[in-house]
Amino acid sequence: MAFVEPVTLKARDLALVPLSLDHEEGLRAAAADGELWKLRITSVPEPHETSAYIEAALQGREAGHRFAFAVTEAETGTVLGSTSFHDILPAVKRVEIGYTWYAKRCQRTHVNTTCKLLMLTHAFDTLGCNVVGWRTDNFNFASQQAIERLGAKKDGVIRGHAMRRDGTIRDTVMYSLRSGEWPEVKAQLLYLLDKPRS
């Protein structure tokens, strides 16, 4: 039995559904909104790589170390992006949240906050995780700010940790949130979602 079982997570107008090859066209369209694959600090697939991207995610699910979701509009099923639980460690009840990206039109909206609320609620309240982690490129300042806004703590930087798509080697900034910190973070996420947006 896998630590992360297939599940659909829903809140507000979003549904996180298990990623499948049926989402290929939708993922390709979401990535095209902003030509996100051109960003050197993300893992968004180029249009011709979308099928391979999904296949790799499904292999990760089979191996038990990654569970990918398509982020969709709940009512229409329109794909807005993707996110994953990854580096799943059942023995210590730890998951990381990553491989996260959204169509440009969804950035700086409620979408990311809602997705994080869904995933953190599932991780802590359903899976009983002790820790949820994040990692990001040292030059992905927007991602670092978004993770810090969640209330996660910066653990440190792993230097020379991973290859970027352009062949350069990145440093990786690591963050985490412990189960005891979750109630306050949950309250903050709900506050952010409910307050009027300017």
Side-chain angles (χ1 to χ4, degrees):
M1 183 180 199
F3 185 61
V4 181
E5 291 286 329
V7 64
T8 295
L9 307 175
K10 291 184 179 180
R12 312 214 172 217
D13 56 347
L14 299 180
L16 274 59
V17 300
L19 185 65
S20 74
L21 287 169
D22 292 339
H23 296 115
E24 182 180 356
E25 186 177 327
L27 271 191
R28 191 180 292 119
D33 181 0
E35 296 185 328
L36 302 177
W37 60 87
K38 292 185 176 179
L39 300 172
R40 68 186 287 264
I41 53 174
T42 68
S43 60
V44 180
E46 293 188 42
H48 68 279
E49 296 175 338
T50 307
S51 178
Y53 179 88
I54 296 171
E55 290 282 5
L58 295 176
Q59 289 169 10
R61 182 190 305 175
E62 186 68 26
H65 61 76
R66 180 177 173 196
F67 191 95
F69 295 94
V71 179
T72 69
E73 292 178 348
E75 194 170 314
T76 66
T78 301
V79 177
L80 305 175
S82 185
T83 190
S84 296
F85 288 122
H86 66 95
D87 283 72
I88 297 166
L89 300 173
V92 294
K93 293 191 173 181
R94 177 188 167 98
V95 298
E96 293 187 31
I97 295 174
Y99 297 92
T100 301
W101 57 271
Y102 310 106
K104 188 174 182 180
R105 70 184 182 280
C106 300
Q107 296 171 16
R108 305 193 74 72
T109 70
H110 76 289
V111 170
N112 185 54
T113 306
T114 302
C115 287
K116 293 305 182 286
L117 178 64
L118 285 167
M119 295 182 79
L120 288 167
T121 299
H122 190 68
F124 287 121
D125 298 348
T126 301
L127 302 177
C129 286
N130 295 313
V131 180
V132 173
W134 291 264
R135 60 181 72 188
T136 189
D137 190 293
N138 60 303
F139 282 116
N140 194 341
F141 303 116
S143 177
Q144 291 171 48
Q145 290 170 355
I147 294 167
E148 289 168 9
R149 269 197 308 274
L150 293 171
K153 304 293 188 273
K154 184 175 179 179
D155 296 321
V157 179
I158 304 174
R159 300 186 57 170
H161 183 241
M163 294 287 290
R164 295 187 184 96
R165 68 173 69 226
D166 65 2
T168 58
I169 300 173
R170 81 174 202 188
D171 295 347
T172 299
V173 187
M174 303 292 293
Y175 291 89
S176 65
L177 181 70
R178 297 184 67 96
S179 57
E181 298 162 335
W182 167 231
E184 176 63 18
V185 168
K186 183 176 185 179
Q188 178 65 8
L189 290 174
L190 290 168
Y191 166 77
L192 291 173
L193 286 168
D194 288 336
K195 78 174 187 175
R197 289 187 171 263
S198 55

